[in-house]
Every structure is written in C-alpha cells, then in structure tokens.
C-alpha cells in the first residue's frame, strides 16, 4: 500500500489526504482570478441571462456573475405593457439553487464565509463616471411609505421628499486599469449602473443595469469571435458586479454603511426572473399578479429560495455573503408585486434585510441540524468510527444533497459535451507528489470485504473472477491497474485537518498558504493513475472504502431505509441521473468522483457513471462502501 503524508519545510506536521472535499475551496493556478469551485455557488452563467439562448446553457459554479444586459427599464415605465418573454429556468432547479445560496448566506452570517473584496471611491473612479441628481418619484411612493412605517421613529409612514432621493448613474466613460493592472482604453460605453440612493429610508433601488460583461460578450458575438473568461476580465473594470457596485455606492456615501436594509429592483424584464415570478404568482391565492404589498416570502421557503436564485436575486445573495461581516446577521425576506396587475406586467422585488436583534429568533435554518434519525445511524456506535479527525458536524441533509448532486450532474454532462470551462486543470507530475509529501511504497493484502466487488469487476472486464489479492496504493489509495480500479480508504485533506485543528478559526488565505498544490482527492486519484498506468484514460472503477462521517452516513442511511434496510454486497446501484445517485454524488465521499469526471472529461471521454453502496456488516451497519463505475459510453 502506498501511503503519503504531508510535510512542511519548517518541521513536519502529519496530515492524511482528502476525505471530505470541502466545497468552498478556491483554485486557479494560471491566472490571478481564482475560480470558485463550490457547486453551491450556482449563479447563472451570463449567457443564460438572454432567454433566447438560455436553453443551451447550464449553471456553472464559477461564483458570481453579472446581471442581465437589461435588468429593468424605468424610462419606458408608463409604457411598459409589452409582453416579457418567459425564460427557461426550471422552477424546481431554481429552488435547489436558492437553497444552496441560502445555506451559503447562513454560513457567512456565522462567520465561516470568505469576505468579498472591499472597493473604494477610487475604484468607482477607475473606469466609471458618477452622475448624480435628485430624483423625481417613479411610483415607489407606496412601497417607500411602507418602508418608513417599518422603520418607525425618525421616519414614519410618509413619502420621501425629492431631496431625500439621489439618482446615481455610473457610466463607463473613462479609461481604466483592469484586475491585472493593464490599461484599458477601448471602453464599453453603453455599460452603466443606475441606482436610487435613499439613505434616510435605509434603502437603495436598482433601476437599470447594463453590465460591462454582457457588453463585451455582445461585441464578440457581433464580430463572430469566440470569447473566454480571460477575454472578459481583460476588458472590464474590477468594480463591475451589481452586488459590489451597490455596496460600494452605499458604503462610500452613507455615514453608517451597515444601516442598509431595503433593496428594491425596479421593472424586471429579464425573462428568467419574470418566469419564476409568474410561476409564484400563479401558485398564490390570487393565481395572478397582485399589487403592492404583493406576496412576501422568507428565504427558508421554496418561493424565497427560487427568487434568490433568479438572475435578479443573485446580487442580493452575494451582497449578504460577501458583506456579512459588515452588515451583521440578518433575517431576509422578499416581496414581489406587479405595478400593472391588470396587464400582468411590470414586476418588482423589494428585499428586506431585517437585522437580527438580541431578542430576535435566529434566521430560519440557522439552528444546528439534528443528528440523523435513520436506522443505520442508530446502529453505528461512535466507538466504531476509526478516524478521530472526521468532521462530525452534520452539514448535509438529504434535500440539500439532491440539490448539490443535481448541479454536479449538470456540470458533468456539460464537461462531457465540452461545454464546461472550470479554470485551469492541473496535470501533476512525479515532482508534484514529492512537493510537500512523504510517501511509502508498500504492497499488501486488500481488505477482504472488497473481494466480492473485485470479482464482479473481473467478470465485467472479462479478465476472470479471481481478484488480485495484492495491491499497490498511494495515501491509503489502492492502485489495481489490471482491474482498472483505484480504491481510497482512510484519507483526510490537509485543509480539513487545518480547519479541525484550528477549531474552524482559520482564514481561506491561511489555508491556501499552508497546503501543497496537489492536495485534493480528485487530483490525487488522477495523478496516481496517470503516472502509473500505460493507458490513463482506461480508469473505470473508483472505490471509497469504509466511508465515515455523519453526512454520508445520513444520506446512505436514508437510502437504505427507503429500500427496507441495510444490505451487504451487491448492495444497491444507482445511476447519477437518479435522485439517490445525485444525493450520493454530493456527499463528501462522492464529490471527488464528480470533480474527477468534470476536470478530466477530455482525457476520460464520455462516461455513464453509476454508484453501488453496501455494508460489510449489514447486521450492525458498519463497513459502508461505495463503488463508482465510470462506464464508457
């Protein structure tokens, strides 16, 4: 058995490799712009904001993306009775994405998120011309009266005066330096962000947005040129996203930045958002759009989560995630209504980011999740768990696992079709294995509990039903080339060990500084196989032996319970196009397989993955295993 341990240049500290591949890790070794790999950050790809092209685009976990080219159209307000084409966002998928975003928001409120970059007035001056004027009212009087009533003393139920409303329009009219420090003189002059700043009412209203990103994309489409993320980043100013623009305008103008509470979005004409809102109106008691106060939802509801994941709700989500340290804990709600319900047009959103007072209840969903009540979990005694380093807090419920698994599945399919571009994909070398790691090359007997599975593999491959009883492996990863198989057992990532040892009190930057470049299980599995196999693309089976942790045990337990109880080999098998397969894909023990398929799709080719789960000891529920069959198509 090949076993690796990590070492530091100043004294060795022992870590085992990747068991629970945390979803909040950053990675991109080729550029300064890190691509967030967290599949819970499922903002819609910019090209999906145009409803006409949305059918061919899936959600990619890049992190934040810009608003649609045309977010709203206040200047044609009173004439806005034309039909908005309904987009192609699926309601259930959008609920899933909103659920994941909401959990990210709750994590940020608890202090476990990574703060966003802080921009200043100098960043506004870098590429933007700031045009300000006092505003005439634009039919927000009634909602703002309700805001005043909510705020109570000092404001009251009244309309703001014209002097209390400042229109701020940021126009891209000046040369700027991009995020790489390169001078850019070729401007997207139609790009702008128009906001209504109403500090006395703790309110900001997004009126109209034409994003630099989409202007660049439109230019490339017009010139019939291919475009990459690097092309976009080179052509836009660092301050360009709605959430960042909104916060920077507020924080550089307001004397008390954390006073921001209400965010309005005017005249929604994005087809995807419009379609989700239309669905919610039709689900309501009136079965049609209604006037203010409209319908109100917390983010713990499916409607609130669906609205959070729309193109127009994403900026609100990212404002709360990135600025949680400045805003403090909030209990967000969202109201939707129509200005002209008789024609079914002119939809709006009003977000209330209510501060959490000492006497307030915690945000829904923020309380610790209960321990699994599955029969399987009750069978497994704590003394039976082998590793003292397993992160035991249960962070994954079955519904969330389904949502994460669905997003991962979509990205795997996109990767197979050559549509996924998830940043630089490392090809590690032997030197990478020696950079920070000490390894032992051993040959030893396999765990006999894997014999039935290997017998099946041998028969499937036509190489006989007698398993090779001697195996070689890395990091407690068994390498069995004749069976096209690699099996990972007792593993833990450097980042998880750092988080565990620090009690969770460690920054992302400190983690990245202290882990070697080769540190994720998906990369390790591929590197071990790629460097030792004559035909790297023939990897077929990936096993996870003796899986541990309350998350994975709860998910497997739920599935076993639904089938009548724990089962030994041959267990139960699910394709990753099934609900159960997607839930297993999202577990800490399945994510490495997902990213192996996404990152190495070009090398592995198209596959039809399925997963088998079983227990070595069905009477006690101990000895849980997974076998992923990456069957070539």
């Amino acid at each position: 058995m090949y076993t690796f341990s990590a070492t530091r240049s100043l004294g060795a500290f022992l870590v085992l490799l990747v068991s629970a591949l945390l979803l909040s890790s950053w990675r991109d070794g080729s550029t300064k712009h890190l691509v967030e790999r967290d599949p819970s950050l499922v903002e819609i790809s910019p090209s999906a904001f145009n409803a006409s092209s949305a059918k061919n685009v899936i959600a990619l976990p890049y992190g934040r993306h810009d608003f649609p080219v045309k977010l709203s159209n206040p200047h044609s307000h009173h004439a806005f009775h034309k039909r908005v084409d309904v987009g192609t966002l699926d309601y259930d998928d959008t609920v899933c994405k909103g659920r994941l975003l909401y959990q990210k928001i709750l994590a940020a409120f608890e202090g476990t998120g990574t703060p966003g970059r802080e921009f200043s007035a100098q960043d506004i001056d870098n590429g933007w011309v700031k045009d300000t004027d006092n505003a005439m009212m634009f039919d927000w009087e009634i909602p703002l009266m309700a805001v005043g009533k909510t705020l109570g003393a000092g404001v009251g139920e009244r309309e703001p005066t014209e002097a209390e409303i400042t229109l701020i329009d940021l126009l891209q009219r000046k040369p700027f330096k991009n995020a790489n420090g390169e001078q850019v003189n070729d401007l997207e002059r139609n790009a702008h962000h128009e906001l209504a700043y109403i500090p006395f009412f703790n309110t900001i209203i997004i009126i109209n947005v034409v994003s630099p990103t989409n202007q660049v994309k439109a230019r490339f489409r017009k010139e019939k040129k291919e475009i990459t993320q690097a092309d976009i980043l080179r052509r836009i100013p660092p301050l360009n996203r709605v959430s960042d623009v909104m916060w920077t305008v507020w924080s550089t103008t307001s004397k008390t930045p954390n006073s921001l509470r209400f965010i309005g979005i005017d005249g929604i004409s994005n087809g995807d958002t419009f379609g989700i809102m239309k669905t919610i109106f039709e689900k309501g008691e009136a079965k049609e759009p209604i006037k203010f106060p409209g319908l109100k939802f917390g983010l713990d509801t499916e409607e609130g989560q669906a609205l959070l994941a729309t193109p127009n709700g994403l900026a609100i989500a990212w404002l709360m995630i990135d600025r949680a340290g400045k805003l403090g804990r909030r209990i967000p709600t969202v109201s939707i209504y129509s200005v002209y319900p008789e024609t079914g047009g002119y939809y709006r959103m009003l977000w209330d980011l209510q501060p959490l007072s000492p006497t307030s209840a915690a945000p829904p969903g923020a309380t610790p999740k209960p321990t699994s009540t599955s029969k399987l979990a009750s069978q497994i005694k704590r003394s039976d768990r082998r590793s003292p380093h397993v992160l035991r807090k249960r962070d994954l419920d079955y519904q969330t696992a389904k949502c994460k698994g669905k997003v991962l599945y979509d990205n795997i399919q996109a990767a197979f079709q050559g549509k996924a571009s998830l940043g630089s994909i490392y090809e590690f070398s032997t030197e990478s294995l020696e950079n920070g790691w000490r390894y032992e090359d051993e040959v030893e007997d396999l765990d006999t509990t894997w014999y039935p599975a290997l017998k099946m593999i041998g028969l499937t491959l036509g190489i006989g039903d007698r398993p090779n009883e001697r195996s070689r492996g890395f990091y407690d990863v068994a390498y069995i080339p004749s069976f096209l198989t690699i099996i990972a057992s007792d593993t833990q990532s450097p980042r998880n060990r750092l988080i565990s040892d620090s009690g969770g009190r460690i920054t992302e930057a400190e983690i990245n500084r202290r882990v070697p470049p080769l540190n994720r299980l998906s990369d390790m599995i591929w590197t071990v196989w790629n460097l030792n196999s004559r035909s790297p693309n023939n990897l077929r089976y990936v096993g996870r032996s003796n899986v541990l942790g309350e998350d994975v045990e709860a998910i497997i337990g739920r599935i076993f319970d639904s089938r009548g109880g724990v089962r030994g080999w041959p267990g139960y098998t699910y394709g990753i196009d099934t609900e159960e397969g997607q839930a297993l894909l999202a577990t800490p023990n399945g994510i490495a397989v997902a990213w192996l398929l996404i990152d190495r799709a070009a090398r592995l080719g198209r596959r039809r993955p399925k997963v088998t789960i079983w227990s070595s000891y069905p009477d006690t529920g101990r000895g849980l295993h997974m076998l992923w069959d990456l069957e070539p198509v």
Side-chain angles (χ1 to χ4, degrees), residues 21-22 63 76 155 198 219 235 255 309 325 352 382 496 504 543 572:
L21 180 63
L22 290 186
S76 60
V155 184
I198 316 172
R219 180 196 294 197
R235 288 168 172 79
K255 295 180 180 179
D352 180 357
R382 180 169 294 276
N496 282 358
Y572 300 111

Side-chain angles (χ1 to χ4, degrees), residues 27-230:
R27 155 190 203 170
D28 188 335
S30 61
T31 71
K32 295 180 182 178
H33 308 287
L34 298 177
V35 176
E36 191 156 17
R37 291 180 54 120
D38 188 339
S40 72
L41 307 179
V42 287
E43 297 198 25
I44 306 304
S45 171
S47 55
F49 292 141
N50 183 331
S52 64
S53 64
K55 293 181 180 179
N56 299 319
V57 180
I58 67 163
L60 294 177
Y62 282 135
R64 296 175 295 276
H65 280 306
D66 259 305
F67 258 50
V69 173
K70 182 170 284 187
L71 179 77
S72 55
N73 189 359
H75 301 299
S76 60
H77 178 164
H78 296 289
F80 191 82
H81 297 279
K82 65 180 181 181
R83 176 182 175 83
V84 176
D85 291 331
V86 175
T88 59
L89 283 186
D90 178 80
Y91 181 77
D92 291 335
D93 284 352
T94 309
V95 172
C96 263
K97 294 169 184 176
R99 181 185 181 92
L100 303 181
L101 281 167
Y102 181 48
Q103 292 188 344
K104 192 75 176 175
I105 291 168
L106 292 177
F109 287 163
E110 295 293 338
T112 59
T114 302
R117 172 180 169 180
E118 283 296 327
F119 294 94
S120 66
Q122 286 71 35
D123 292 295
I124 295 177
D125 196 49
N126 182 33
W128 299 99
V129 172
K130 184 178 179 180
D131 186 16
T132 62
D133 197 359
N134 290 121
M136 62 179 182
M137 298 306 294
F138 43 95
D139 286 359
W140 275 87
E141 297 94 333
I142 295 176
L144 287 171
M145 287 176 66
V147 167
K149 182 178 180 180
T150 301
L151 294 175
V155 184
E157 188 177 0
R158 65 173 180 85
E159 300 176 14
T161 65
E162 185 172 317
E164 290 174 328
I165 304 176
T166 303
L167 279 182
I168 299 177
D169 201 357
L170 299 187
L171 307 164
Q172 191 177 331
R173 300 290 169 80
K174 295 166 62 176
F176 60 89
K177 289 187 177 181
N178 64 22
N180 285 330
E182 302 163 339
Q183 184 71 20
V184 178
N185 297 313
D186 187 12
L187 309 178
E188 302 297 336
R189 293 185 174 274
N190 290 327
H192 73 104
H193 294 259
E194 186 177 3
L195 311 168
Y197 170 71
I198 316 172
F200 203 64
F201 283 66
N202 298 354
T203 297
I204 197 165
I205 297 173
I206 303 170
I207 300 174
N208 199 14
V209 174
V210 178
S211 77
T213 294
N214 283 295
Q215 288 294 289
V216 171
K217 292 167 73 72
R219 180 196 294 197
F220 273 67
R221 282 195 302 269
K222 184 177 181 180
E223 297 174 357
K224 297 182 179 180
K225 295 179 179 178
E226 295 293 328
I227 188 170
T228 66
Q229 191 73 6

Side-chain angles (χ1 to χ4, degrees), residues 180-297:
N180 285 330
E182 302 163 339
Q183 184 71 20
V184 178
N185 297 313
D186 187 12
L187 309 178
E188 302 297 336
R189 293 185 174 274
N190 290 327
H192 73 104
H193 294 259
E194 186 177 3
L195 311 168
Y197 170 71
I198 316 172
F200 203 64
F201 283 66
N202 298 354
T203 297
I204 197 165
I205 297 173
I206 303 170
I207 300 174
N208 199 14
V209 174
V210 178
S211 77
T213 294
N214 283 295
Q215 288 294 289
V216 171
K217 292 167 73 72
R219 180 196 294 197
F220 273 67
R221 282 195 302 269
K222 184 177 181 180
E223 297 174 357
K224 297 182 179 180
K225 295 179 179 178
E226 295 293 328
I227 188 170
T228 66
Q229 191 73 6
D231 291 327
I232 295 173
L233 292 171
R234 282 195 296 268
R235 288 168 172 79
I236 62 175
L239 177 61
N240 65 83
R241 299 185 179 96
V242 173
S243 60
D244 290 333
V245 169
M246 180 168 44
W247 175 253
T248 304
V249 167
W250 185 270
S251 64
T252 58
T253 309
S254 173
K255 295 180 180 179
T256 54
N258 65 350
S259 64
L260 176 60
R261 174 164 175 180
F262 295 94
I263 301 171
I265 303 179
D266 191 52
I268 291 168
S269 59
N270 173 263
D272 283 333
T273 304
F274 189 91
I276 297 299
M277 294 176 73
K278 183 173 183 292
T279 298
I280 293 173
F281 280 132
E282 291 171 352
K283 285 164 55 71
E285 185 176 341
K287 307 299 182 183
E288 60 184 7
I290 57 177
K291 287 188 174 182
F292 188 83
L295 302 177
K296 184 176 182 178
F297 306 99

